[in-house]
Amino acid sequence: MSDTPYTPPKVWKWEQANGGEFASINRPIAGATHDKDLPAGKHPFQLYSLATPNGVKVTVMFEELLAAGHKDAEYDAWLISIGDGDQFGSGFVGVNPNSKIPALLDRSGAEPVRVFESGSILLHLAEKFGAFLPKEGAARTETLNWLFWQMGSAPYLGGGFGHFYAYAPEKWQYPIDRFTMETKRQLDVLDRQLAEHAFIAGSEYSIADIAIWPWYGQLVLGRNYGDAAEFLDAESYKHVVRWAKAIDARPAVQRGRMVNRSFGDLHMQLHERHDAGDFETRTQDKLEPAAE
């Protein structure tokens, strides 16, 4: 590890090697890098995503809506390979000018509506179907409080702790300590809330849980950033662990985790989802042997 202090230049200049594991897809400018149309299926909702925590939020939401009987929530989920730069194709940029997954095209109305940012997608779907979000009053506000808490807090977990602990080209104590402290503070915030409530925003399962679980629930279950759960002493946040296990046991959550997943165990990878039957017939453990 380098022990030479870094002196920032007066004007920063982009060096393409910057960024560690993600150097090939990080750049300081927006916009498309190439022309590429997005595929489209038959359902009202077209989702373009990857099973990162932000992507899992939306696929869980769709699967929960379908499980709750909202048949009009059928969707096509298309894999966006961010390592290959799919998010910089012209079609994707047209749906999300920020070039981040997930991105949704809602074709259920007279005109297609683009929806980007995972929190916005959850809110859009909750309001459209009248589900997983109280309609009014203090309960609605409390749910939105926690939805936006996640949107503001998770960058410190992912881009902060996760990056420097698991992905940076070298281990540096200062940023790891800095973001570990903040991540543990956030886990304590959740633990105190869940000590008094079954779910994040109260007694009912909501988009607050759907937003927070892929980040913090999977973290304490040992699924994010290698051995981070042990490093963070995740078991000590007993109320978060109780909640994380309860959410993990939901069949819709188990299905949502699989959609647009291109890593890990083959039986958990459903690269594209176009029909409920795909979970039984189109996972990679079913497809890859046939391709050999």
Side-chain angles (χ1 to χ4, degrees), residues 13 35 48 52 54 62 74 85 118 133 136 140 144 150-151 155 164 176 181 183 188 220 233 243 274:
K13 292 183 179 180
D35 290 329
Y48 305 95
T52 65
N54 282 335
F62 272 119
E74 271 293 352
S118 56
L133 175 66
E136 57 186 8
R140 176 184 172 86
L144 295 179
Q150 185 278 315
M151 298 297 290
F164 286 104
I176 291 175
M181 180 170 58
T183 297
D188 193 42
V220 300
D233 190 20
W243 163 84
H274 305 292

Side-chain angles (χ1 to χ4, degrees), residues 32-53:
T33 60
H34 58 283
D35 290 329
K36 185 177 181 180
D37 293 333
L38 289 174
K42 63 182 180 181
H43 295 306
F45 298 97
Q46 300 297 301
L47 177 65
Y48 305 95
S49 193
L50 179 68
T52 65

Side-chain angles (χ1 to χ4, degrees), residues 161 165 219 224-234:
F161 171 78
Y165 184 77
L219 176 69
N224 291 351
Y225 314 124
D227 61 356
E230 179 181 7
F231 179 75
L232 294 166
D233 190 20

Side-chain angles (χ1 to χ4, degrees), residues 78-244:
W78 303 92
L79 179 64
I80 297 297
S81 178
I82 61 175
D84 295 332
D86 290 351
Q87 69 275 32
F88 300 120
S90 56
F92 189 90
V93 173
V95 179
N96 185 357
N98 196 39
S99 292
K100 301 290 184 181
I101 63 94
L104 177 68
L105 194 63
D106 178 352
R107 307 186 305 183
S108 62
E111 296 291 335
V113 176
R114 73 179 188 182
V115 195
F116 59 90
E117 292 296 328
S118 56
S120 180
I121 295 173
L122 293 183
L123 184 56
H124 177 81
L125 294 173
E127 291 184 330
K128 192 173 195 73
F129 291 99
F132 305 114
L133 175 66
K135 290 182 170 54
E136 57 186 8
R140 176 184 172 86
T141 299
E142 182 71 359
T143 302
L144 295 179
N145 287 342
W146 287 103
L147 173 65
F148 290 110
W149 176 89
Q150 185 278 315
M151 298 297 290
S153 297
Y156 292 96
L157 168 57
F161 171 78
H163 177 78
F164 286 104
Y165 184 77
Y167 302 132
E170 297 181 79
K171 303 276 189 194
W172 296 291
Q173 183 176 354
Y174 174 78
I176 291 175
D177 283 353
R178 167 69 180 86
F179 291 112
T180 297
M181 180 170 58
E182 174 61 12
T183 297
K184 289 180 70 67
R185 188 193 70 81
Q186 292 174 4
L187 287 169
D188 193 42
V189 169
L190 292 175
D191 205 56
R192 291 168 186 263
Q193 177 70 4
L194 288 165
E196 300 180 359
H197 304 283
F199 297 102
I200 293 293
S203 61
E204 300 294 328
Y205 180 64
S206 73
I207 57 173
D209 302 283
I210 294 171
I212 293 170
W213 182 84
W215 284 98
Y216 297 88
Q218 295 205 102
L219 176 69
V220 300
L221 293 175
R223 295 177 184 157
N224 291 351
Y225 314 124
D227 61 356
E230 179 181 7
F231 179 75
L232 294 166
D233 190 20
E235 291 185 355
S236 67
Y237 303 98
K238 61 182 181 179
H239 303 294
V240 179
V241 172
R242 181 269 306 165
W243 163 84

